[in-house]
Amino acid sequence: MMASVDCEDIMIKKQLLEFAFKNWKAILIVALCLVITAKSRYDYNLVQKAYEVQTESVTAQIEGLKEIHKQEIRKKQLLMENHMETIAAIEEDYEDALQMIEEIREDKKNEYRNNFNSNREQLIKDIEEKFGIQYVP
């Protein structure tokens, strides 16, 4: 019984070798296709990992840029508030100056009216000095 099993094993091996020698090209093509498929999957996985790493990197860069943008907006707002406060102070000073000029103008008008009514010669002198003209009566 052992001999028949050995004989059958030998026959099967012989048939396999004959099949392999007859179809070696097809077997080689199938083996190469399997190698190419395995290599393609390996390369695809590498590309997929590189894509994921790049996506994470871009996401991190975008988050960093968003934070920088927020900081710049805060700085601009602070500068704008400071600028507005400065403008308000300048406008207040301007209004005070206008009011002071108006008061001085009213004082001068009143002085000239008084001079016109009481001291015309002083008014004439003031006009001559101010405008560089000579009064001719």
Side-chain angles (χ1 to χ4, degrees):
M1 186 139 143
M2 189 76 149
S4 69
V5 171
D6 286 336
C7 198
E8 285 180 16
D9 282 342
I10 293 173
M11 289 293 278
I12 291 174
K13 289 180 183 178
K14 186 178 178 183
Q15 287 176 352
L16 284 174
L17 282 175
E18 286 176 8
F19 178 78
F21 283 131
K22 279 185 184 178
N23 299 310
W24 69 271
K25 291 179 184 177
I27 293 172
L28 184 62
I29 289 172
V30 169
L32 288 175
C33 285
L34 290 174
V35 168
I36 289 172
T37 303
K39 175 72 170 134
S40 296
R41 284 186 183 225
Y42 176 74
D43 289 346
Y44 177 78
N45 287 336
L46 288 178
V47 169
Q48 182 70 24
K49 287 179 183 176
Y51 173 75
E52 290 170 1
V53 168
Q54 184 181 13
T55 303
E56 291 172 5
S57 173
V58 168
T59 303
Q61 288 176 354
I62 288 172
E63 291 301 319
L65 288 173
K66 284 181 180 178
E67 186 59 35
I68 290 170
H69 183 66
K70 286 179 185 177
Q71 290 173 0
E72 287 180 358
I73 287 175
R74 278 187 237 128
K75 286 179 184 177
K76 285 181 183 179
Q77 286 175 340
L78 290 174
L79 288 173
M80 185 63 78
E81 289 172 4
N82 187 15
H83 184 65
M84 295 302 284
E85 289 172 2
T86 304
I87 288 174
I90 290 171
E91 286 177 347
E92 185 177 324
D93 291 344
Y94 177 74
E95 292 296 325
D96 291 344
L98 282 178
Q99 186 177 1
M100 188 185 319
I101 289 171
E102 189 61 34
E103 289 173 2
I104 292 171
R105 185 177 290 153
E106 282 297 318
D107 290 344
K108 284 289 185 182
K109 280 183 185 178
N110 289 335
E111 180 183 332
Y112 290 143
R113 273 191 206 121
N114 290 337
N115 283 343
F116 183 75
N117 292 333
S118 63
N119 191 2
R120 287 189 180 199
E121 295 194 13
Q122 180 62 39
L123 180 63
I124 292 171
K125 283 183 184 178
D126 287 344
I127 292 174
E128 287 178 345
E129 288 177 14
K130 185 88 169 176
F131 296 109
I133 57 174
Q134 187 175 11
Y135 176 71
V136 178

